[in-house]
Amino acid sequence: MGADAIVRHRRLEETPRLAAVNIAVTGSIATDHLMTFSGRFADSMVVDQLDKISLSFLADDLQVRRGGIGANICFGMANLGLSPVLVGAVGEDFADYRSWLERHRIDCESVHTSLVRHTARFVCTTDDDHAQIATFYAGAMSEARDIELRPIADRLGGLDLVVISPNDPEAMLRHTEECRTRGYAFVADPSQQLAWMDGASIRLLVEGAAYLFSNEYEAALLEKKTGWSAEEVQALVDVRVTTLGKYGSRIERVGQPEIHVPAAGEPTAVDPTGVGDAFRAGFITAIAWGLPLVRAAQLGALLASYVLETIGPQEYELSRASVLQRLEKAYGEDAVADVASHLITPRP
């Protein structure tokens, strides 16, 4: 990580900030087609016949929802009071979705519109165990590789942090390299793209990140593909955040004690789609407010619980009263005291 990026990261973590912070979120923008299957996928899997797999599951329900990881993260941040800048590529069918995002205080001026491709589609079926089988059509997302960050920084008067979430792989590499070159602090969040990228590409996405996000499986996959040990990964980033599902999250830094933050209670699980995106949104928002890492993970877990209780990653509603009440129940009065002065939601 370059010296300028370190200084910028330290300022974000230690100095209280409000909605004026400039955070660009690069990533996918998509429409989600979410189906549910009453049963278990595992009951239909024949392990020694997986190379000949041919399965069809009868879905009970279909919900069409707004999604895409970049858009989901922005939505969560905006619902907590920030005005994030969404950076990605869409088709000409994006007009209604754009209106929705802008109405929720998301800056969409840096979204590129393709003239020849549709907005990406995410088609996912979830079983009774909350296991998921999904297919993603990239569509216009492939044109995100043509977007440069410098004009965005010039328009905003600088960038305090760039979130590089799953997107067109070439776009992710380009944005990461530009962050290193120009000294923009960045979040590495390769998650869903780890399965498709080789070790050399993943190394380029990770090295020098202010924050590295993954779940437990993705963390192991990252280490396997790069050939790095957990210690080697940690040495290349400032803060490593690993989500652990119902067991909360783990935060690691070189030379510092490991931090474990439990999940925010036991929400009623309806659909896990977008839960990780909400965690990142809450975490990054708390960092932008200047709160410590423990609070960041707590706010991330809290926002994730709202998403888990709804179908669709942008269908939840926050109110100041409910957020603070749930925060106190999960993490105590001190957490409420730290968050309350920053929290801005659409409803009181």
Side-chain angles (χ1 to χ4, degrees), residues 40-51:
R40 301 173 67 248
F41 294 142
D43 293 338
S44 298
M45 302 292 181
V46 181
V47 176
D48 60 357
Q49 297 292 315
L50 290 180
D51 59 327

Side-chain angles (χ1 to χ4, degrees), residues 10-69:
R10 296 300 184 197
R11 186 170 73 248
L12 271 169
E13 185 178 344
E14 296 171 5
T15 304
R17 285 172 166 263
L18 296 177
V21 67
N22 292 332
I23 300 178
V25 180
T26 74
S28 61
I29 305 167
T31 301
D32 291 347
H33 296 247
L34 308 175
M35 291 172 279
T36 57
F37 168 66
S38 294
R40 301 173 67 248
F41 294 142
D43 293 338
S44 298
M45 302 292 181
V46 181
V47 176
D48 60 357
Q49 297 292 315
L50 290 180
D51 59 327
K52 306 179 184 68
I53 191 168
S54 178
L55 292 172
S56 176
F57 297 98
L58 185 61
D60 301 309
D61 187 39
L62 168 65
Q63 302 283 339
V64 180
R65 295 287 187 264
R66 306 169 188 89
I69 293 175

Side-chain angles (χ1 to χ4, degrees), residues 115-245:
L115 300 178
V116 295
R117 295 180 175 91
H118 291 290
T119 301
R121 298 286 188 276
F122 175 68
V123 181
C124 181
T125 304
T126 303
D127 74 1
D128 286 342
D129 289 339
H130 289 101
Q132 295 184 311
I133 296 176
T135 302
F136 189 83
Y137 162 71
M141 191 178 79
S142 62
E143 297 183 23
R145 66 185 66 180
D146 299 327
I147 300 172
E148 187 151 356
L149 299 175
R150 176 62 181 273
I152 302 170
D154 290 345
R155 174 171 70 86
L156 299 171
L159 286 171
D160 296 295
L161 189 67
V162 178
V163 180
I164 301 173
S165 66
N167 198 355
D168 170 68
E170 290 299 321
M172 296 171 72
L173 291 167
R174 176 175 182 171
H175 297 332
T176 303
E177 181 56 32
E178 187 176 355
C179 285
R180 277 194 286 259
T181 300
R182 301 193 187 280
Y184 304 146
F186 69 95
V187 172
D189 178 25
S191 56
Q192 294 178 0
Q193 292 293 29
L194 287 171
W196 310 110
M197 301 182 80
D198 60 26
S201 296
I202 296 169
R203 293 187 198 102
L204 292 173
L205 294 179
V206 169
E207 188 172 359
Y211 300 89
L212 170 63
F213 284 94
S214 66
N215 62 31
E216 203 166 19
Y217 176 82
E218 292 160 352
L221 182 60
L222 185 152
E223 291 164 15
K224 177 181 178 180
K225 285 201 163 189
T226 60
W228 286 334
S229 66
E231 292 74 19
E232 289 172 323
V233 173
Q234 185 62 72
L236 294 170
V237 303
D238 195 349
V239 180
R240 187 176 190 184
V241 184
T242 307
T243 56
L244 309 171

Side-chain angles (χ1 to χ4, degrees), residues 1 31 65 72 108 112 119 130 151 202 218 243 254 260 272 322 347:
M1 185 186 304
T31 301
R65 295 287 187 264
N72 292 342
C108 294
H112 166 79
T119 301
H130 289 101
I202 296 169
E218 292 160 352
T243 56
V254 172
H260 180 262
S322 72
R347 295 190 296 152

